[in-house]
């Protein structure tokens, strides 16, 4: 048969690819066997059969996004080989010239670029894929421009399994421009950097000054910092976290009005957001963005519009009631957790994953103790391990976690440790005051004594110091490091707030009906909140008990039959 028997990939499955590979006489029997095995292993790791999995880079990229080989019990090096084998097979049998075009050996001018960058300690290896792409198309280094980068991006999307092609392209452009600047003798031309993200909302500073001033005065009036003797002040003033949320919802409301055709310069007052058809235009824009799905973000915007109408704008009661009705329509009515934590908790149906997460702080701690010369990555792993340990034992909210301070919130008394957070820093306004287990206290003491001094200046004594104006680590930065550490060590996708759901789920699985315990640990003011969020866990427990009854009777029947 032909060395490259292309098959129609549009409707082809990985089972078809396996069949085509097994009949490719141009490959050795060992190579054919290894390639078909890799295809089967990838399909199984993704929870599918080869017959179910489309044979295309796009389809695989979508399914590989968020996947980690450790979650399927596959080591990183083995997974790297599997990906390479599957990529080879897809390229070999694709009729698309972009996909099937091989990476060529480097031409002499590209070899020169690589050697110069390598010899100067640069990032030549970061450009290896681009160099192979250009060599195969006879594009010299000096001819690389925005158009060539666009073609390269098309190839990366169509012919690689990179799950974040945008990030890859940005890194390539960054290293390319750096090489062009540092080595002018190479004659390289700088290329345009792709945008890191599309800005969907205007910044606060971008809003009209009159709008900003009016909005700040309104938010101050609603907040805990307002005049407590003002008879028009709300009976339940907004805490700082709620003020920040309101401010962001205002920006989103402005964005919706701008996208519907209103110039930003004409939005000079809060009333502009609630008069006429403005609320419909704002909410319609965001609903269209979310494909018609309700959500907390849209509900938050609607709530802010209602608050403006009730407390600030000169609207009649009928108009205010219409806004309340709109808010009711776009606010999701759901029982239990939202979809994101539900999906994130699914891996914990496997007890092995529960054990991986529970033991991780100890694993990181033991490994660190064995290191003679720890890197900064090792220090950050220990920091994430401490954050995980705290959230396992005391699942507080992320903002409270990053603001923990030695002597203010963490109180050592010999080997014992107590954590306190004043109510004005807590979402529900209640003080948090609780001891932590001795094992946790020892881990934190080691971190304070051995790790914190290596993380840089920390005059205020933050448990998680940062380098910005806040002094402590930004919540987003801590979350990013937290997720990255857990993913590298376990293959699980965990974010800090998920630990509250994980802890509640774990407790209710082992102590059905113990909602009051969960309420106290999570700091919910109302038991209804706890029950509403976690009632489905009890449903799952009931279903398993039902199954166990049926299966137990079935086993006893089978055992009785065997005895006969």
């Amino acid at each position: 048969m032909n060395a490259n028997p292309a098959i129609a990939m549009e409707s082809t499955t990985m089972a078809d690819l396996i069949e085509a590979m097994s009949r490719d006489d141009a490959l050795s029997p060992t190579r054919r066997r290894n390639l078909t095995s890799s295809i089967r292993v990838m399909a199984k790791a993704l929870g599918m059969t080869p017959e179910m999995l489309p044979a295309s880079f796009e389809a695989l990229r979508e399914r590989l996004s968020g996947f980690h080989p450790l979650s399927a019990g596959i080591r990183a090096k083995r997974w790297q080989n599997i990906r390479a084998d599957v990529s080879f097979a897809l390229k070999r049998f694709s009729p698309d010239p972009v996909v099937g075009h091989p990476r060529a050996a480097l031409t002499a001018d590209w070899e020169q670029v690589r050697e110069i960058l390598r010899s100067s300690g640069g990032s030549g290896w970061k450009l290896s894929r681009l160099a192979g792409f250009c060599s195969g198309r006879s594009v010299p280094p000096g001819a690389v421009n925005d158009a060539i980068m666009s073609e390269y991006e098309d190839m990366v999307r169509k012919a690689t399994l990179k799950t974040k092609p945008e990030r890859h392209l940005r890194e390539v452009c960054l290293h390319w421009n750096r090489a062009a600047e540092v080595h002018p003798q190479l004659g390289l031309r700088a290329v345009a950097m792709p945008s890191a993200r599309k800005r969907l909302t205007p910044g606060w500073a971008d809003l009209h000054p009159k709008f900003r001033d009016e909005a700040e005065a309104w938010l101050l009036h609603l907040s805990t910092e307002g005049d407590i003797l003002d008879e028009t002040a709300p009976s339940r003033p907004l805490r700082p976290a709620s003020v920040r949320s309101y401010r962001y919802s205002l920006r989103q409301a402005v964005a919706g009005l701008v996208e519907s055709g209103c110039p930003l310069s004409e939005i000079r007052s809060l009333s502009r957001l609630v008069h006429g058809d403005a609320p419909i235009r704002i909410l319609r824009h965001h609903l269209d963005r979310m494909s018609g799905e309700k959500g907390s973000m849209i509900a938050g915007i609607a709530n802010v519009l209602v608050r403006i109408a009730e407390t600030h704008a000169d609207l009649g009661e009928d108009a205010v009631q219409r806004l309340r009705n709109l808010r009711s329509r776009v606010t999701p009515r759901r029982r239990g957790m939202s979809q994101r934590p539900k999906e994130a908790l699914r891996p914990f149906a496997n007890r092995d994953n529960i054990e991986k997460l529970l033991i991780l702080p100890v694993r990181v701690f033991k490994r660190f103790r064995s290191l003679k010369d720890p890197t900064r990555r090792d220090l950050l792993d220990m920091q994430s391990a401490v954050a995980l340990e705290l959230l396992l034992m005391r699942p507080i909210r992320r903002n409270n976690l990053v603001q923990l301070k030695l002597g203010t919130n963490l109180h050592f008394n010999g080997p014992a440790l107590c954590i306190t957070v004043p109510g004005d820093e807590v979402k529900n306004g209640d003080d948090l005051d609780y001891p932590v287990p001795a094992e946790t206290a020892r881990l934190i003491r080691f971190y304070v004594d051995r790790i914190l001094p290596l993380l840089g200046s920390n005059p205020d004594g933050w448990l998680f110091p940062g380098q910005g104006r806040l002094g402590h680590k930004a919540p987003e930065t801590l979350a990013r490091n937290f997720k990255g550490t857990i993913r590298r060590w376990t293959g699980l996708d965990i974010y800090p707030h998920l630990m509250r759901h994980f802890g509640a789920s774990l407790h209710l699985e082992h102590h059905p009906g113990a909602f009051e315990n969960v309420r106290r640990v999570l700091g919910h003011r109302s038991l209804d909140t706890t029950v509403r969020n976690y009632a489905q866990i009890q449903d799952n427990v009931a279903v398993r008990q039902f199954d166990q009854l049926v299966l137990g009777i079935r086993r006893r029947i089978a055992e009785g039959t065997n005895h006969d």
Side-chain angles (χ1 to χ4, degrees):
M1 65 181 295
N2 295 332
N4 185 12
I7 54 181
M9 305 299 283
E10 291 79 5
S11 58
T12 300
T13 68
M14 298 299 265
D16 298 319
L17 189 60
I18 290 173
E19 176 64 21
M21 293 291 294
S22 64
R23 294 184 286 106
D24 186 357
D25 295 335
L27 300 173
S28 70
T30 300
R31 179 63 167 153
R32 293 200 300 267
R33 185 167 57 253
N34 289 342
L35 291 170
T36 55
S37 173
S38 291
I39 295 171
R40 290 191 177 93
V41 172
M42 177 173 283
K44 182 179 179 181
L46 296 176
M48 306 179 76
T49 65
E51 291 78 12
M52 298 165 57
L53 190 58
S56 73
F57 282 101
E58 291 87 350
L60 287 175
R61 184 183 298 114
E62 179 182 351
R63 289 164 174 81
L64 288 171
S65 179
F67 174 82
H68 196 285
L70 285 178
S71 63
I74 303 174
R75 294 187 178 276
K77 180 61 177 175
R78 170 64 176 143
W79 184 247
Q80 184 179 355
N81 292 336
I82 289 171
R83 284 174 60 111
D85 285 346
V86 173
S87 293
F88 174 88
L90 289 172
K91 291 176 182 179
R92 186 170 180 80
F93 292 94
S94 174
D96 187 333
V98 174
V99 175
H101 196 293
R103 288 173 63 186
L106 300 189
T107 57
D109 46 6
W110 278 103
E111 283 282 6
Q112 180 186 15
V113 170
R114 182 176 66 174
E115 291 307 313
I116 290 176
L117 293 180
R118 281 183 171 176
S119 63
S120 63
S123 304
W125 65 274
K126 289 283 188 181
L127 302 174
S128 60
R129 189 182 293 273
L130 174 66
F133 170 83
C134 291
S135 293
R137 289 157 178 77
S138 301
V139 177
V144 173
N145 54 21
D146 291 343
I148 296 298
M149 283 295 185
S150 180
E151 293 179 14
Y152 175 71
E153 179 183 13
D154 186 49
M155 183 277 297
V156 170
R157 292 182 183 278
K158 288 185 176 181
T160 74
L161 291 176
K162 288 189 175 295
T163 56
K164 296 181 179 178
E166 300 86 357
R167 176 185 294 182
H168 171 74
L169 181 66
R170 184 171 176 80
E171 290 177 350
V172 167
C173 290
L174 178 67
H175 290 292
W176 179 263
N177 289 343
R178 187 174 297 161
E181 179 182 0
V182 175
H183 301 284
Q185 75 275 19
L186 293 174
L188 309 180
R189 292 186 285 178
V191 296
M193 286 293 298
S195 175
R197 63 176 181 174
K198 182 181 179 182
R199 192 174 192 178
L200 299 176
T201 61
W204 192 249
D206 298 328
L207 304 180
H208 195 281
K210 289 185 177 180
F211 182 95
R212 285 202 314 270
D213 292 344
E214 183 179 328
E216 290 290 5
W218 178 66
L219 291 171
L220 177 62
H221 176 70
L222 295 181
S223 75
T224 55
E225 298 181 3
D227 184 357
I228 61 174
L229 299 181
D230 185 346
E231 294 182 356
T232 64
S235 58
R236 295 181 60 184
L238 301 177
R239 289 186 295 274
S242 297
V243 171
R244 289 193 294 271
S245 177
Y246 270 46
R247 187 178 286 111
Y248 184 61
S249 291
L250 285 173
R251 290 172 51 206
Q252 291 176 307
V254 170
L257 197 54
V258 169
E259 290 297 323
S260 71
C262 178
L264 182 61
S265 60
E266 293 184 8
I267 306 176
R268 303 186 180 192
S269 70
L270 293 176
S271 296
R272 184 69 180 83
L273 301 178
V274 296
H275 275 288
D277 66 347
I280 295 290
R281 293 163 62 182
I282 291 168
L283 297 176
R284 175 67 63 195
H285 164 73
H286 289 288
L287 280 170
D288 289 345
R289 274 187 55 224
M290 304 303 292
S291 302
E293 291 289 328
K294 300 177 184 180
S296 58
M297 181 268 290
I298 297 175
I301 297 171
N303 184 59
V304 166
L305 297 179
V306 170
R307 293 300 301 274
I308 293 172
E310 291 175 335
T311 64
H312 189 75
D314 185 17
L315 289 180
E317 181 58 30
D318 289 345
V320 174
Q321 188 58 46
R322 283 196 294 272
L323 280 176
R324 292 184 185 128
N325 292 340
L326 284 176
R327 177 178 62 183
S328 178
R329 287 183 215 152
V330 301
T331 300
R333 296 286 184 264
R334 69 166 60 94
R335 174 177 176 266
M337 287 180 284
S338 59
Q339 197 60 32
R340 185 191 182 197
K342 277 185 182 179
E343 293 292 336
L345 287 175
R346 292 195 196 285
F348 295 109
N350 182 340
R351 185 171 181 81
D352 289 346
N353 287 332
I354 295 176
E355 294 176 355
K356 282 181 188 177
L357 191 63
L358 294 179
I359 201 66
L360 181 58
V362 177
R363 288 180 59 205
V364 176
F365 173 72
K366 287 183 176 179
R367 178 183 177 276
F368 189 91
R369 292 289 296 267
S370 69
L371 297 175
K372 293 183 179 179
D373 188 19
T375 65
R376 182 165 180 80
R377 176 73 271 167
D378 298 321
L379 299 177
L380 293 178
D381 279 356
M382 272 297 297
Q383 188 174 79
S384 295
V386 167
L388 175 60
E389 178 72 8
L390 282 170
L391 293 176
L392 283 169
M393 299 302 176
R394 300 293 179 265
I396 59 179
R397 291 179 174 85
R398 188 179 70 174
N399 284 345
N400 294 134
L401 180 69
V402 298
Q403 295 180 47
L404 292 177
K405 185 183 291 189
L406 298 171
T408 302
N409 308 109
L410 288 93
H411 309 277
F412 283 99
N413 184 13
L417 173 64
C418 183
I419 296 179
T420 63
V421 181
D424 58 3
E425 297 178 10
V426 181
K427 184 177 180 180
N428 67 1
D430 293 339
D431 293 342
L432 300 179
D433 190 341
Y434 42 67
V436 299
E439 294 87 345
T440 302
R442 285 195 293 271
L443 177 62
I444 295 176
R445 171 57 76 183
F446 177 85
Y447 169 80
V448 170
D449 293 343
R450 294 280 303 276
I451 309 300
L452 274 183
L454 302 177
L455 289 174
S457 176
N458 183 24
D460 294 324
W462 298 105
L463 186 64
F464 303 109
Q467 299 178 347
R469 60 180 179 80
L470 296 174
H472 59 75
K473 194 175 287 291
E476 297 78 11
T477 304
L478 180 107
R480 185 167 56 250
N481 293 343
F482 184 88
K483 290 177 65 176
T485 297
I486 294 176
R487 184 173 171 80
R488 280 187 290 103
W489 281 75
T490 69
L492 298 169
D493 281 315
I494 308 294
Y495 51 93
H497 193 76
L498 184 69
M499 297 307 302
R500 292 172 63 80
H501 301 304
F502 173 81
S505 302
L506 187 64
H507 189 79
L508 290 172
E509 289 276 357
H510 288 79
H511 303 283
F515 288 107
E516 177 60 17
N517 286 2
V518 173
R519 183 195 72 79
R520 290 178 178 274
V521 172
L522 297 187
H524 290 160
R525 176 164 290 180
S526 168
L527 183 61
D528 288 343
T529 300
T530 310
V531 174
R532 186 173 62 251
N533 281 324
Y534 302 113
Q536 188 175 8
I537 295 171
Q538 296 297 93
D539 295 344
N540 295 339
V541 172
V543 168
R544 279 198 298 275
Q545 290 175 344
F546 188 91
D547 293 345
Q548 289 167 5
L549 172 63
V550 174
L551 295 174
I553 294 173
R554 182 183 292 171
R555 281 193 294 270
R556 288 195 294 273
I557 293 172
E559 290 168 358
T561 302
N562 290 338
H563 288 315
D564 292 341

